[in-house]
Amino acid sequence: MVCLGNICRSPLAEGILKSKLDPNKYIVASCGTSNYHIGSKPDKRSIDIARKHNIDITEQRAAQFNVNNFKTYDYIYAMDNSNYQNIIKLASNNTEINKVKLILEELYPNQNLDVPDPYYGGEQGFEDVYQMLNKTCDTIVSILEKRH
Ligand code: 4NP
């Protein structure tokens, strides 16, 4: 799960998807394309929204996307078009490019939708992000269950 800062959207996405998958079968992680918040805890507003939905993301610490992630992970989900482009720029072949997908494409194919950055907004923005990620993660789980 990849966003810009790895403190708002992708920590929520990581926590939500992890809560829906068997930890013995899947590794779920998140990072940011920027180095702005390396080592930081998730934003308090993301922690609070996650907790409201019974998910604990307090142990997460922000990391930056790096090219090894292309080898470690089978699926790389970008939260928005800008992050998608930044990840793709680092890919070295089509196998790597094909691992990267805009996350909302799983729920709303061919619409090119972004998970909006809630950083400068209020709490409702975080709840909205939670709701869209929760729905998309349900779709991701059914895709994974069919493929693996
Ligand atoms: P995120 O949100 O990409 O969802 O973690 C942001 C967090 C911090 C900044 C931008 C977006 N920032 O510019 O510091």
Side-chain angles (χ1 to χ4, degrees):
M1 300 300 197
V2 189
C3 63
L4 177 62
N6 192 210
I7 56 167
C8 297
R9 291 166 291 179
S10 59
L12 267 178
E14 176 187 331
I16 293 167
L17 188 60
K18 253 187 194 156
S19 75
K20 297 176 190 289
L21 291 174
D22 179 351
N24 296 314
K25 286 192 191 157
Y26 294 96
I27 296 170
V28 184
S30 67
C31 62
T33 53
S34 78
N35 61 5
Y36 303 157
H37 298 280
I38 292 174
S40 298
K41 283 186 180 180
D43 189 286
K44 183 179 182 304
R45 296 164 296 176
S46 281
I47 289 176
D48 290 347
I49 288 294
R51 185 182 291 123
K52 184 178 148 198
H53 296 280
N54 294 315
I55 294 172
D56 181 2
I57 62 168
T58 56
E59 299 303 311
Q60 292 186 35
R61 296 295 179 271
Q64 186 174 23
F65 184 87
N66 78 75
V67 293
N68 294 326
N69 297 139
F70 285 118
K71 299 200 167 41
T72 308
Y73 298 99
D74 298 316
Y75 302 87
I76 297 171
Y77 284 113
M79 296 297 126
D80 64 31
N81 279 275
S82 160
N83 295 136
Y84 176 87
Q85 291 302 332
N86 285 331
I87 299 164
I88 290 293
K89 275 184 216 153
L90 299 173
S92 48
N93 55 52
N94 278 335
T95 305
E96 294 184 355
I97 288 173
N98 290 336
K99 290 185 174 189
V100 190
K101 195 161 183 182
L102 205 51
I103 191 166
L104 288 182
E105 285 293 290
E106 299 293 31
L107 190 58
Y108 307 111
N110 306 314
Q111 295 193 41
N112 239 26
L113 295 174
D114 291 340
V115 177
D117 182 352
Y119 188 61
Y120 294 104
E123 257 161 53
Q124 187 58 44
F126 283 77
E127 179 64 26
D128 294 346
V129 165
Y130 174 87
Q131 293 298 338
M132 61 185 86
L133 288 175
N134 190 43
K135 270 199 211 169
T136 310
C137 286
D138 282 337
T139 311
I140 291 171
V141 169
S142 53
I143 290 167
L144 293 175
E145 282 171 353
K146 270 184 218 141
R147 287 188 193 154
H148 299 284

